[in-house]
Amino acid sequence: PTLLSTAASPQPLKQVSLDLRGLYRNSPISFLGILLVGIANGAYGTLGAVFGRQVGLTDSNVALMMSTTIFAGAVMQFPAGRLSDMIDRRYVLAALAAVAAVAGTLIFLIEPTHVIMLITLVGIYGATANALYPIAVSHANDFATPEDFVKISGGLLLLYGIGTIIGPTIGGPIMTVTGPYGLFMIT
């Protein structure tokens, strides 16, 4: 069937090179924000289950805690994205980051042992922290030309990946020194 088609073949994709300096110049907020989001989400995503076990959660409660984080983050992307389309994305990023920081700080300071309170705070953290990445990418794309969208997205994805390597690398030792709740010092 392909041989019989009269449709034109698509043009090969352009070669895209990674330009971290250009990525920073395009949007310093997105550049630094994505790196920090990668550190925080990488630490929590990798060490969250370890945290749950160390604070005494059952296997099913650890699974519930981790699932709540992901589900809350997925749900929050809709209102956060809509809000960021109506007002300056930097304000939305700042508000989401502040709520995530408050939730993480409360978990660290209070050290909740009641399952409902812990999962609620972790859900608030997850809702806000997991909505940061798409808003930061949108902010970077606001300043990019359409032909640079792939380069911008690829560079931000690389920065996020670097952050996800750094997060657990520093999160584990922090948890060893401060105890399991120390995970939320870096998230």
Side-chain angles (χ1 to χ4, degrees), residues 105-130:
T105 301
L106 285 173
I107 294 169
F108 175 70
L109 294 175
I110 296 172
E111 296 187 359
T113 55
H114 191 270
V115 174
I116 300 294
M117 182 179 200
L118 178 61
I119 291 177
T120 300
L121 287 171
V122 168
I124 293 167
Y125 167 78
T128 53
N130 288 325

Side-chain angles (χ1 to χ4, degrees), residues 1 3 11 30 41 43 45 48 70 73 81 93 100 135 138 154:
L3 291 174
Q11 294 297 319
S30 293
N41 289 355
I70 294 166
L93 285 169
I135 306 298
S138 296

